[in-house]
Amino acid sequence: MLMQTSRIIRFPEGTTAIAHTPDTPDRLDSILSESGSSRSGVAFPRPVIVLVGGAAGLRHYHMAKLHQLFVKVLAPLAEELGAVVIDGGTDTGVMQVMGIARHKTKSTFPLVGVLPVGLAALPDVACLPPGAAPLEPHHTHFVLVPGSNWGDECPWLSTLAGKIAQGLPSVTVLVNGGEVTWQDAAESVRAARPIVAIAGSGRAADALAIALNGQSADIRTQEILASGLVQSIQLEDLAGLAETIRQFLCQPVKG
């Protein structure tokens, strides 16, 4: 069983991050830092952008367009609105692009990666577990949760988003994505968190966009769309995505 601990991770790039290893969901509270009182914690309450989607499944033409979307929209919005961004934390796909965007825009918003401890390739550990993935070096925090399979982190990621938001708005941005992304989407629905699917990015995101037009019999899309929480934005529509996220995150606080 994991113990609740925190440690500093030092990357070869010269960056550092705080890694937490909670053993139960209740221990996620100790990761939070009210009004930024602790350097190792994540200040709350704050609006939250949950980023889920493709790791290995993104194609080169997706990546080029996503760099524009993240650098021009997601990172600046998170910075402007004082939001926390939560994703899967690995140095691949959308998580890699998010880390690079935060670095390129010189942003200061917390970027938190949540992944199973059994699949986290820490930069200072020589003996790595099979299938482990390196961590993206521009994240500020990592939450390494119990498990050794991709998908074990999904409920933890969603729960952490709720704990950070504390009633403030949150939104899930879904880009591309495979089987684990469907789990993430289901967790967002359970949390009543709106989902913005980036149409044109491939796989799960495109399946949801197609289903919104009534052209899919996929049971997964039907169950998620039945929530009424999903809308789609075209990958090239930077202004539309910015406006949509702004509307979600600037909603009045729930009483």
Side-chain angles (χ1 to χ4, degrees):
M1 182 172 64
L2 293 175
M3 298 295 290
Q4 168 60 40
T5 59
S6 63
R7 54 169 292 194
I8 297 176
I9 298 177
R10 303 185 187 279
F11 292 95
E13 293 82 357
T15 57
T16 61
I18 302 295
H20 298 269
T21 54
D23 56 356
T24 66
D26 289 343
R27 297 290 185 91
L28 288 172
D29 289 335
S30 65
I31 295 169
L32 307 180
S33 172
E34 190 166 4
S35 300
S37 58
S38 168
R39 290 183 61 189
S40 65
V42 178
F44 81 108
R46 297 172 73 157
V48 177
I49 298 173
V50 175
L51 175 64
V52 300
L58 286 165
R59 300 185 183 277
H60 291 301
Y61 62 84
H62 289 142
M63 293 294 282
K65 292 180 179 179
L66 287 173
H67 275 286
Q68 294 294 309
L69 185 149
F70 283 42
V71 168
K72 293 185 176 181
V73 177
L74 287 184
L77 268 179
E79 187 76 359
E80 175 191 341
L81 301 176
V84 174
V85 178
I86 305 178
D87 63 17
T90 60
D91 198 21
T92 53
V94 297
M95 299 152 288
Q96 180 186 71
V97 179
M98 188 71 251
I100 291 172
R102 183 184 184 277
H103 175 66
K104 282 189 173 181
T105 57
K106 299 181 180 179
S107 297
T108 61
F109 63 84
L111 177 54
V112 185
V114 181
L115 68 159
V117 66
L119 292 170
L122 302 178
D124 56 353
V125 176
C127 185
L128 299 175
L135 306 183
E136 199 287 319
H138 300 105
H139 280 61
T140 59
H141 298 77
F142 292 94
V143 181
L144 308 179
V145 304
S148 56
N149 296 295
W150 297 116
D152 289 344
E153 74 281 6
C154 294
W156 291 79
L157 191 155
S158 184
T159 298
L160 180 61
K163 287 180 176 292
I164 293 174
Q166 289 287 306
L168 293 179
S170 63
V171 62
T172 294
V173 178
L174 191 153
V175 183
N176 190 274
E179 291 304 316
V180 174
T181 300
W182 289 108
Q183 297 179 50
D184 282 318
E187 292 291 344
S188 288
V189 168
R190 291 188 189 98
R193 183 176 300 115
I195 299 171
V196 179
I198 306 301
S201 64
R203 301 198 295 167
D206 282 3
L208 287 170
I210 290 170
L212 282 169
N213 294 324
Q215 300 174 0
S216 174
D218 189 326
I219 187 64
R220 295 175 299 185
T221 62
Q222 292 176 0
E223 291 175 347
I224 292 171
L225 263 58
S227 68
L229 292 168
V230 183
Q231 62 178 277
S232 68
I233 299 290
Q234 286 294 322
L235 178 57
E236 297 83 1
D237 187 4
L238 303 186
L241 179 63
E243 179 60 24
T244 298
I245 293 178
R246 189 184 301 278
Q247 286 178 358
F248 280 130
L249 295 187
C250 293
Q251 294 176 3
V253 177
K254 298 176 183 178

